[in-house]
Amino acid sequence: MDIAPRKIDKYIVKKFLSTFFLALLFIIVVVIIFDVSEKIDKFVANQPTLNEILFDYYLNFVPYFINMFSPLFIFITVIFFTSKMAQNSEIIAILSGGVSYQRMMMPFMFCAALISAMSLVLGLWIIPNANKTRVKFENTYVKDESELVRDIHFQIAPNEFVYVESFSSWNSTAYNFTLEKLDNNKIVSKLSAESAVWDTSFDGWRLRNYFIRDFSDDLDDKITTGAQIDTVINLVLTDMYRNKSTVEALPLRELNDMIETQKMRGDANVMYAQIEKNTRFAMPFSAFVLTIMGVCLSSRRKRGGLGWNLVIGIALSFSYILFMKFSQMFVYTGTMSAGLALWLPNMIYTAIAGYLYYRAPK
């Protein structure tokens, strides 16, 4: 099979990439306009500079948006210009010229590989660093300073659990702090404190108005109280910011370190980091699957024309994105591991793409 680049390859690559990036540019402009209209009151009230709005917020918002919806844009792009080629009888001309269907797919897969590589680089390195700046801007100028992080649960070690009613990042203080130690599913010790302040002098927590109760089988419990006590436990200040959303701001190395730490602790919240890690690898792979599906669905000339193909393309791409989000529920409920659940949509849609590819030349 001749795999040397031809004029038709360059034509398809040019059409694919130009349509893809043009669609991205148009949607990004629309989204930014709606976002500005939604946040304009916050901008006026808190008065960030124009430089901060443009470069700290929106410049870091764009990569996140591109990566999240790249499967949708890829599928719509392929459906749009491939249907147009089919309606203009260009596909028939290519195949009649001795080019096989498999050979015609090569420039499409080349473009899919480029977009997949771009998505991988964005997800692993660029977006996490961009999210740090974006989240910092939102916390400063968009979110209310009075907001506290509430109902924080941690398993800091096997049979050791921490609960915090609320945490204030302004003064690094956890309010209504509780530390429980269990043995054979029975509480053997419970430490409660009115507040716990992070102290950088010894990298530990300074508890105020504390109450310690050591339980015993003969009901002769030991109770200790005091105004202040210092403690060092397997919980640091940065752990207070680790939640479902903040894992998006962690580079791959930090994300892996967090997963290892949470596994060592037996922390159930490790699923958030595992979902984020697997999503970063599963999402780029979708470029290949959706490209094959798009070409197979739109390369044949139909009576319904371009409009019907676009409807099918949008429906399938949205179903894929929704399935990616829905599959996370399998991880939350403990039905599947994060790796299997996040790759399940790719497995199913790969089977669909394989069937369509098998049928398309016929």
Side-chain angles (χ1 to χ4, degrees), residues 68-85:
M68 179 181 293
F69 290 98
S70 61
L72 173 63
F73 296 131
I74 290 171
F75 208 26
I76 292 176
T77 295
V78 174
I79 290 287
F80 179 79
F81 87 84
T82 307
S83 295
K84 198 170 182 181
M85 289 177 65

Side-chain angles (χ1 to χ4, degrees), residues 145-148 167-173 175 237 241:
E145 294 183 359
S146 58
E147 290 182 355
L148 299 174
F167 174 77
S168 172
S169 58
W170 179 73
N171 55 5
S172 301
T173 302
Y175 297 97
L237 182 62
Y241 302 96

Side-chain angles (χ1 to χ4, degrees), residues 24 62-63 88 96 147 159 258 308 311 317:
L24 272 182
V62 168
N88 294 333
S96 299
E147 290 182 355
N159 297 318
M258 180 180 175
W308 180 244
V311 170
S317 55

Side-chain angles (χ1 to χ4, degrees), residues 254-361:
E254 293 182 23
L255 189 63
N256 286 330
D257 291 342
M258 180 180 175
I259 291 173
E260 291 302 317
T261 300
Q262 291 184 318
K263 282 184 176 179
M264 178 186 65
R265 293 175 175 176
D267 190 345
N269 289 328
V270 69
M271 62 182 177
Y272 297 129
Q274 290 174 326
I275 288 173
E276 175 65 20
K277 178 181 177 179
N278 283 279
T279 299
R280 293 182 187 183
F281 288 98
M283 187 69 76
F285 181 79
S286 66
F288 297 101
V289 178
L290 296 178
T291 296
I292 294 173
M293 290 177 60
V295 175
C296 294
L297 286 171
S298 57
S299 57
R300 178 176 295 180
R301 187 172 181 175
K302 297 183 179 66
R303 182 174 297 178
L306 179 62
W308 180 244
N309 284 339
L310 279 177
V311 170
I312 296 175
I314 292 173
L316 282 173
S317 55
F318 266 116
S319 69
Y320 173 83
I321 294 174
L322 289 175
F323 195 4
M324 284 287 289
K325 294 298 181 182
F326 179 78
S327 64
Q328 296 179 11
M329 297 301 299
F330 297 132
V331 185
Y332 297 145
T333 58
T335 307
M336 296 182 184
S337 65
L340 178 59
L342 270 298
W343 280 92
L344 183 61
N346 280 337
M347 296 176 189
I348 293 175
Y349 279 76
T350 296
I352 296 174
Y355 173 76
L356 293 175
Y357 183 74
Y358 172 76
R359 295 278 301 175

